[in-house]
Amino acid sequence: MVVKQYDVFLVCLDPTIGHEIKKSRPCVVLSPDEMNKYISTVVIGAN
């Protein structure tokens, strides 16, 4: 699967740390395409 910057995915955020809500949330990929291509970790933002 190719993950690109600004793609949106539904992500299950469980387990959580602190007071986050334990459920699936829409998340946007914030890391640049060059970073997503070469490492297996991406930076996301959740609402």
Side-chain angles (χ1 to χ4, degrees), residues 3-34:
V3 177
K4 294 187 177 188
Q5 188 175 27
Y6 306 121
D7 282 350
V8 177
F9 294 94
L10 191 60
V11 179
C12 180
L13 300 175
D14 188 26
T16 60
I17 299 172
H19 300 289
E20 296 97 349
I21 297 172
K22 298 178 183 178
K23 65 178 184 178
S24 296
R25 307 289 290 177
C27 296
V28 63
V29 177
L30 300 175
S31 52
D33 291 334
E34 296 81 17

Side-chain angles (χ1 to χ4, degrees), residues 25-44:
R25 307 289 290 177
C27 296
V28 63
V29 177
L30 300 175
S31 52
D33 291 334
E34 296 81 17
M35 184 174 153
N36 300 338
K37 183 177 179 181
Y38 293 108
I39 65 173
S40 60
T41 303
V42 298
V43 178
I44 63 167

